[in-house]
Amino acid sequence: MKRSRERAASELFAALYPRLAGWCRRLVDDDETAHEIASEAFTRLWARWTAVEEPRGFLYVTAANLVRDHWRKLERERRAVRRAGNEAAVSPYNKQDDPAVRLLVQSLPERLRVPILLHYYADMPIREVSVLTGRKEGTVKADLHAARELLRAHLRRSLDHAP
């Protein structure tokens, strides 16, 4: 039993790790951090192996949460650097000046951010996002629509205020 469990986990890792790490890489812009996040997602899956019905979904939702934590940590670090007055060390990303979609997605409430990450960044169909988030397909569609509207409005405001 243990041998088949280990084999199943090994096969799942071989099948899903490269894509999960690549997805994380697109979100965090750093290979090492992306691999850490993907590895941590697999570690958490392994700890709950027998209780998880949908391993792929568990991995992506867990990685999305870890990416969010990473973004929050970066933002706290940026604020601390700005407070210290060392503008040269501040990352080139500034929420007011840079309408980068990734930063806008980061600012969405979690209920809207997770479906956006799963549907658009992980290329999951709405049906799968519905299953993974435990929401009805109509709710997922409504959340995706609301998120797109918020992103669109924010981009318009950013462009209207551009020099």
Side-chain angles (χ1 to χ4, degrees), residues 68-124:
R68 180 200 62 217
D69 293 345
H70 171 74
W71 286 344
R72 285 180 177 165
K73 178 184 174 208
L74 288 179
E75 186 56 33
R76 283 192 305 270
E77 290 171 356
R78 287 184 193 118
R79 281 194 304 257
V81 168
R82 281 194 294 268
R83 276 195 304 271
N86 187 354
E87 290 298 322
V90 175
S91 171
Y93 290 117
N94 181 322
K95 284 185 182 176
Q96 289 77 29
D97 300 335
D98 185 1
V101 173
R102 192 184 83 204
L103 291 174
L104 296 177
V105 169
Q106 173 186 346
S107 71
L108 290 171
E110 183 172 356
R111 133 186 116 70
L112 301 178
R113 184 178 54 248
V114 170
I116 287 283
L117 290 173
L118 295 175
H119 183 64
Y120 290 108
Y121 287 85
D123 298 324
M124 291 184 185

Coordinates of all heavy atoms in Angstrom, one line a residue, residues 68-124:
R68 N 0.1 34.6 -3.2 CA -0.4 35.8 -2.6 C 0.4 36.2 -1.4 O 0.7 37.4 -1.2 CB -1.9 35.5 -2.2 CG -2.5 36.7 -1.4 CD -3.7 36.2 -0.6 NE -3.3 35.3 0.4 CZ -3.9 34.3 0.9 NH1 -5.1 34.0 0.3 NH2 -3.4 33.5 1.8
D69 N 0.8 35.2 -0.6 CA 1.6 35.5 0.6 C 2.9 36.1 0.2 O 3.4 37.1 0.8 CB 1.9 34.2 1.4 CG 0.6 33.7 2.1 OD1 -0.4 34.4 2.1 OD2 0.7 32.5 2.5
H70 N 3.5 35.6 -0.9 CA 4.8 36.2 -1.4 C 4.6 37.6 -1.8 O 5.4 38.5 -1.5 CB 5.2 35.3 -2.6 CG 6.4 35.9 -3.4 ND1 7.7 35.9 -2.9 CD2 6.5 36.6 -4.5 CE1 8.5 36.5 -3.7 NE2 7.8 36.9 -4.7
W71 N 3.5 37.9 -2.6 CA 3.2 39.3 -3.0 C 3.0 40.2 -1.8 O 3.5 41.3 -1.8 CB 1.9 39.4 -3.8 CG 2.1 38.8 -5.2 CD1 3.2 38.6 -5.9 CD2 1.0 38.5 -6.1 NE1 3.0 38.1 -7.2 CE2 1.6 38.0 -7.3 CE3 -0.4 38.5 -6.0 CZ2 0.8 37.6 -8.4 CZ3 -1.1 38.0 -7.1 CH2 -0.5 37.6 -8.3
R72 N 2.3 39.7 -0.8 CA 2.1 40.5 0.4 C 3.5 40.8 1.1 O 3.7 42.0 1.6 CB 1.2 39.8 1.4 CG -0.2 39.9 1.0 CD -1.1 39.1 2.0 NE -2.5 39.2 1.7 CZ -3.4 38.5 2.2 NH1 -3.1 37.6 3.1 NH2 -4.7 38.6 1.9
K73 N 4.3 39.8 1.2 CA 5.6 40.0 1.8 C 6.4 41.1 1.0 O 7.1 41.9 1.6 CB 6.4 38.7 1.8 CG 7.8 38.8 2.4 CD 8.5 37.5 2.3 CE 9.9 37.7 2.8 NZ 10.9 36.7 2.2
L74 N 6.4 41.0 -0.3 CA 7.1 42.0 -1.1 C 6.6 43.4 -0.9 O 7.4 44.3 -0.8 CB 7.0 41.6 -2.6 CG 7.8 40.4 -3.1 CD1 7.6 40.2 -4.6 CD2 9.3 40.6 -2.8
E75 N 5.3 43.5 -0.8 CA 4.7 44.8 -0.6 C 5.1 45.3 0.8 O 5.4 46.5 0.9 CB 3.2 44.7 -0.7 CG 2.5 46.1 -0.6 CD 3.0 47.1 -1.6 OE1 3.4 46.7 -2.8 OE2 3.1 48.3 -1.3
R76 N 5.1 44.5 1.8 CA 5.5 45.0 3.1 C 7.0 45.4 3.1 O 7.3 46.4 3.7 CB 5.4 43.8 4.2 CG 3.9 43.6 4.6 CD 3.9 42.7 5.8 NE 4.5 41.4 5.6 CZ 4.0 40.3 5.2 NH1 2.7 40.3 4.8 NH2 4.7 39.2 5.0
E77 N 7.8 44.7 2.4 CA 9.2 45.1 2.2 C 9.4 46.4 1.5 O 10.1 47.3 1.9 CB 10.0 44.0 1.5 CG 10.2 42.7 2.3 CD 10.8 41.6 1.5 OE1 11.0 41.7 0.3 OE2 11.0 40.5 2.2
R78 N 8.6 46.6 0.5 CA 8.6 47.9 -0.3 C 8.2 49.0 0.6 O 8.9 50.1 0.6 CB 7.7 47.8 -1.5 CG 8.3 47.0 -2.6 CD 7.4 47.0 -3.8 NE 7.7 46.0 -4.8 CZ 7.0 45.0 -5.1 NH1 5.7 44.9 -4.7 NH2 7.4 44.1 -6.0
R79 N 7.2 48.8 1.4 CA 6.7 49.9 2.3 C 7.8 50.2 3.3 O 8.0 51.4 3.6 CB 5.4 49.5 2.9 CG 4.2 49.7 2.0 CD 2.9 49.7 2.8 NE 2.7 48.4 3.6 CZ 2.0 47.4 3.2 NH1 1.2 47.5 2.1 NH2 1.9 46.4 4.0
A80 N 8.4 49.2 3.8 CA 9.4 49.4 4.9 C 10.6 50.2 4.3 O 11.1 51.1 4.9 CB 9.9 48.1 5.4
V81 N 11.0 49.8 3.0 CA 12.1 50.6 2.4 C 11.7 52.0 2.1 O 12.5 52.9 2.4 CB 12.5 49.8 1.1 CG1 13.4 50.7 0.3 CG2 13.2 48.5 1.4
R82 N 10.5 52.2 1.7 CA 10.0 53.6 1.4 C 10.0 54.4 2.7 O 10.4 55.6 2.8 CB 8.6 53.6 0.8 CG 8.7 53.3 -0.7 CD 7.4 53.7 -1.4 NE 6.3 52.8 -0.9 CZ 5.9 51.7 -1.5 NH1 6.5 51.3 -2.6 NH2 4.9 51.0 -1.1
R83 N 9.5 53.8 3.8 CA 9.5 54.5 5.1 C 10.9 54.8 5.5 O 11.1 55.8 6.2 CB 8.8 53.6 6.2 CG 7.3 53.7 6.1 CD 6.7 53.1 7.4 NE 7.1 51.7 7.7 CZ 6.5 50.7 7.2 NH1 5.4 50.8 6.5 NH2 6.9 49.5 7.5
A84 N 11.9 54.0 5.2 CA 13.2 54.2 5.6 C 13.9 55.3 4.8 O 14.9 55.8 5.1 CB 14.1 53.0 5.5
G85 N 13.2 55.7 3.7 CA 13.6 56.8 2.9 C 14.7 56.4 1.8 O 15.3 57.3 1.2
N86 N 14.9 55.2 1.6 CA 15.9 54.7 0.7 C 15.2 54.4 -0.7 O 15.0 53.3 -1.1 CB 16.6 53.5 1.2 CG 17.8 53.1 0.3 OD1 18.0 53.7 -0.7 ND2 18.5 52.1 0.8
E87 N 14.9 55.5 -1.4 CA 14.1 55.3 -2.7 C 14.9 54.5 -3.7 O 14.3 53.9 -4.6 CB 13.8 56.7 -3.3 CG 12.7 57.4 -2.5 CD 11.4 56.7 -2.4 OE1 11.0 56.1 -3.4 OE2 10.8 56.7 -1.3
A88 N 16.2 54.5 -3.7 CA 17.0 53.8 -4.7 C 16.8 52.3 -4.6 O 16.9 51.6 -5.6 CB 18.5 54.1 -4.5
A89 N 16.4 51.8 -3.4 CA 16.2 50.3 -3.2 C 14.8 49.9 -3.5 O 14.5 48.7 -3.5 CB 16.6 50.0 -1.8
V90 N 13.9 50.8 -3.7 CA 12.5 50.5 -4.0 C 12.4 49.8 -5.3 O 12.9 50.2 -6.3 CB 11.6 51.7 -3.9 CG1 10.2 51.4 -4.3 CG2 11.6 52.3 -2.5
S91 N 11.6 48.7 -5.4 CA 11.3 48.0 -6.6 C 10.7 49.0 -7.6 O 10.0 49.9 -7.3 CB 10.4 46.9 -6.3 OG 9.9 46.3 -7.5
P92 N 11.0 48.8 -8.9 CA 10.4 49.7 -9.9 C 8.9 49.7 -10.0 O 8.3 50.5 -10.5 CB 11.0 49.2 -11.2 CG 11.4 47.8 -11.0 CD 11.8 47.8 -9.5
Y93 N 8.3 48.7 -9.4 CA 6.8 48.6 -9.4 C 6.2 49.5 -8.3 O 6.6 49.5 -7.2 CB 6.3 47.2 -9.1 CG 6.6 46.2 -10.2 CD1 7.5 45.2 -10.0 CD2 6.0 46.4 -11.5 CE1 7.7 44.3 -11.1 CE2 6.3 45.6 -12.5 CZ 7.1 44.5 -12.3 OH 7.4 43.7 -13.3
N94 N 5.3 50.4 -8.8 CA 4.6 51.3 -7.9 C 3.1 51.2 -8.3 O 2.8 51.5 -9.4 CB 5.2 52.7 -8.0 CG 4.5 53.7 -7.1 OD1 3.3 53.6 -6.9 ND2 5.3 54.6 -6.6
K95 N 2.3 50.9 -7.3 CA 0.9 50.7 -7.7 C 0.3 51.9 -8.3 O -0.6 51.7 -9.2 CB 0.1 50.3 -6.4 CG 0.3 48.9 -5.9 CD -0.6 48.6 -4.8 CE -0.4 47.2 -4.3 NZ -1.1 46.9 -3.1
Q96 N 0.6 53.1 -8.0 CA 0.0 54.3 -8.5 C 0.5 54.5 -10.0 O -0.2 55.0 -10.8 CB 0.3 55.5 -7.7 CG -0.4 55.5 -6.4 CD 0.2 54.6 -5.3 OE1 1.4 54.4 -5.3 NE2 -0.7 54.1 -4.4
D97 N 1.8 54.2 -10.2 CA 2.4 54.6 -11.5 C 2.4 53.4 -12.5 O 2.4 53.7 -13.7 CB 3.8 55.0 -11.3 CG 3.9 56.2 -10.4 OD1 3.0 57.0 -10.3 OD2 5.0 56.4 -9.8
D98 N 2.3 52.2 -12.1 CA 2.5 51.1 -13.0 C 1.2 50.3 -13.0 O 0.8 49.6 -12.1 CB 3.6 50.2 -12.4 CG 3.9 49.0 -13.4 OD1 3.2 48.9 -14.5 OD2 4.8 48.2 -13.1
P99 N 0.5 50.3 -14.2 CA -0.8 49.6 -14.3 C -0.5 48.1 -14.7 O -1.4 47.5 -15.4 CB -1.5 50.3 -15.4 CG -0.4 50.8 -16.3 CD 0.8 51.1 -15.4
A100 N 0.6 47.5 -14.3 CA 0.9 46.1 -14.6 C -0.3 45.2 -14.1 O -0.8 45.3 -13.0 CB 2.2 45.7 -13.9
V101 N -0.8 44.4 -15.0 CA -1.9 43.5 -14.7 C -1.6 42.7 -13.5 O -2.5 42.5 -12.6 CB -2.3 42.7 -15.9 CG1 -3.4 41.7 -15.6 CG2 -2.7 43.6 -17.1
R102 N -0.4 42.1 -13.4 CA -0.1 41.3 -12.2 C -0.4 42.0 -10.9 O -0.9 41.5 -10.0 CB 1.3 40.7 -12.3 CG 1.5 39.6 -11.3 CD 2.9 39.2 -11.3 NE 3.6 40.1 -10.4 CZ 4.9 40.3 -10.5 NH1 5.6 39.7 -11.4 NH2 5.5 41.2 -9.7
L103 N 0.1 43.3 -10.8 CA -0.1 44.0 -9.6 C -1.6 44.3 -9.4 O -2.1 44.3 -8.2 CB 0.7 45.3 -9.7 CG 2.2 45.2 -9.6 CD1 2.8 46.5 -9.8 CD2 2.6 44.6 -8.3
L104 N -2.3 44.5 -10.4 CA -3.8 44.7 -10.3 C -4.5 43.5 -9.8 O -5.3 43.5 -9.0 CB -4.4 45.2 -11.6 CG -3.8 46.6 -12.1 CD1 -4.5 46.9 -13.5 CD2 -4.1 47.7 -11.1
V105 N -4.1 42.3 -10.4 CA -4.6 41.1 -9.9 C -4.3 40.9 -8.4 O -5.2 40.4 -7.7 CB -4.1 39.9 -10.8 CG1 -4.5 38.6 -10.2 CG2 -4.6 40.0 -12.2
Q106 N -3.1 41.2 -8.0 CA -2.7 41.1 -6.6 C -3.7 41.9 -5.7 O -4.0 41.5 -4.6 CB -1.3 41.6 -6.5 CG -0.8 41.6 -5.1 CD 0.6 42.3 -5.0 OE1 1.3 42.4 -6.0 NE2 0.9 42.6 -3.8
S107 N -4.1 43.0 -6.2 CA -5.0 43.9 -5.4 C -6.4 43.4 -5.3 O -7.2 44.0 -4.5 CB -4.9 45.3 -5.9 OG -5.6 45.4 -7.1
L108 N -6.8 42.5 -6.1 CA -8.2 42.0 -6.1 C -8.5 41.3 -4.8 O -7.6 40.6 -4.2 CB -8.5 41.0 -7.2 CG -8.5 41.6 -8.6 CD1 -8.6 40.5 -9.7 CD2 -9.7 42.5 -8.8
P109 N -9.8 41.3 -4.3 CA -10.1 40.5 -3.2 C -10.0 39.0 -3.5 O -10.1 38.6 -4.7 CB -11.6 40.8 -2.9 CG -12.0 41.8 -3.9 CD -10.9 42.1 -4.9
E110 N -9.7 38.2 -2.5 CA -9.4 36.8 -2.7 C -10.5 36.1 -3.5 O -10.2 35.3 -4.4 CB -9.1 36.1 -1.4 CG -8.7 34.7 -1.6 CD -8.3 34.0 -0.4 OE1 -8.2 34.6 0.7 OE2 -8.0 32.7 -0.4
R111 N -11.7 36.4 -3.2 CA -12.8 35.8 -3.9 C -12.8 36.0 -5.4 O -13.3 35.1 -6.2 CB -14.1 36.2 -3.2 CG -15.2 36.6 -4.1 CD -16.4 37.2 -3.4 NE -16.6 38.6 -3.7 CZ -17.1 39.0 -4.9 NH1 -17.4 38.1 -5.8 NH2 -17.3 40.3 -5.2
L112 N -12.2 37.1 -5.9 CA -12.1 37.4 -7.3 C -10.7 37.0 -7.8 O -10.6 36.6 -9.0 CB -12.3 38.9 -7.6 CG -13.7 39.4 -7.1 CD1 -13.7 40.9 -7.4 CD2 -14.8 38.7 -7.8
R113 N -9.7 37.1 -7.0 CA -8.3 36.8 -7.4 C -8.1 35.3 -7.7 O -7.5 35.0 -8.7 CB -7.3 37.3 -6.3 CG -5.9 37.1 -6.7 CD -4.9 37.6 -5.7 NE -5.1 37.0 -4.4 CZ -5.6 37.6 -3.3 NH1 -5.8 38.9 -3.4 NH2 -5.8 37.0 -2.2
V114 N -8.6 34.4 -6.9 CA -8.3 33.0 -7.1 C -8.9 32.5 -8.4 O -8.2 31.8 -9.2 CB -8.8 32.2 -5.8 CG1 -8.8 30.7 -6.2 CG2 -7.9 32.5 -4.6
P115 N -10.2 32.8 -8.7 CA -10.7 32.4 -10.0 C -9.9 33.0 -11.2 O -9.6 32.3 -12.2 CB -12.1 32.9 -10.1 CG -12.5 33.1 -8.6 CD -11.2 33.4 -7.9
I116 N -9.4 34.2 -11.1 CA -8.6 34.8 -12.2 C -7.3 34.0 -12.3 O -6.9 33.7 -13.4 CB -8.3 36.3 -11.9 CG1 -9.6 37.2 -12.1 CG2 -7.2 36.8 -12.7 CD1 -10.0 37.5 -13.5
L117 N -6.7 33.8 -11.2 CA -5.4 33.0 -11.3 C -5.6 31.6 -11.9 O -4.8 31.2 -12.7 CB -4.7 32.9 -9.9 CG -4.2 34.2 -9.3 CD1 -3.7 34.0 -7.9 CD2 -3.1 34.8 -10.2
L118 N -6.6 30.9 -11.4 CA -6.8 29.6 -11.9 C -7.3 29.6 -13.4 O -6.8 28.8 -14.2 CB -7.9 28.9 -11.1 CG -7.4 28.6 -9.6 CD1 -8.6 28.0 -8.8 CD2 -6.2 27.7 -9.5
H119 N -8.2 30.5 -13.8 CA -8.8 30.4 -15.1 C -7.8 31.0 -16.1 O -7.5 30.4 -17.2 CB -10.1 31.2 -15.1 CG -10.8 31.2 -16.5 ND1 -11.2 30.0 -17.0 CD2 -11.1 32.1 -17.4 CE1 -11.8 30.2 -18.2 NE2 -11.7 31.5 -18.4
Y120 N -7.2 32.2 -15.9 CA -6.4 32.8 -16.9 C -4.9 32.5 -16.8 O -4.3 32.4 -17.8 CB -6.6 34.4 -16.8 CG -7.9 34.8 -17.3 CD1 -8.9 35.3 -16.3 CD2 -8.3 34.7 -18.6 CE1 -10.2 35.6 -16.8 CE2 -9.6 35.1 -19.0 CZ -10.5 35.6 -18.1 OH -11.7 35.9 -18.5
Y121 N -4.4 32.3 -15.6 CA -3.0 32.0 -15.5 C -2.7 30.5 -15.5 O -1.6 30.1 -15.9 CB -2.4 32.6 -14.2 CG -2.3 34.1 -14.3 CD1 -3.4 34.9 -14.0 CD2 -1.1 34.7 -14.7 CE1 -3.2 36.3 -14.1 CE2 -1.0 36.1 -14.8 CZ -2.0 36.9 -14.5 OH -1.9 38.3 -14.5
A122 N -3.6 29.7 -15.0 CA -3.4 28.2 -15.0 C -4.2 27.5 -16.2 O -4.1 26.3 -16.3 CB -3.8 27.6 -13.7
D123 N -4.9 28.3 -17.0 CA -5.6 27.8 -18.1 C -6.6 26.7 -17.7 O -6.8 25.8 -18.5 CB -4.7 27.3 -19.2 CG -3.8 28.4 -19.8 OD1 -4.3 29.5 -19.9 OD2 -2.6 28.1 -20.0
M124 N -7.3 26.9 -16.6 CA -8.3 25.9 -16.2 C -9.6 26.4 -16.7 O -10.0 27.5 -16.6 CB -8.3 25.8 -14.7 CG -7.1 25.1 -14.1 SD -7.3 24.9 -12.3 CE -5.7 24.3 -11.9

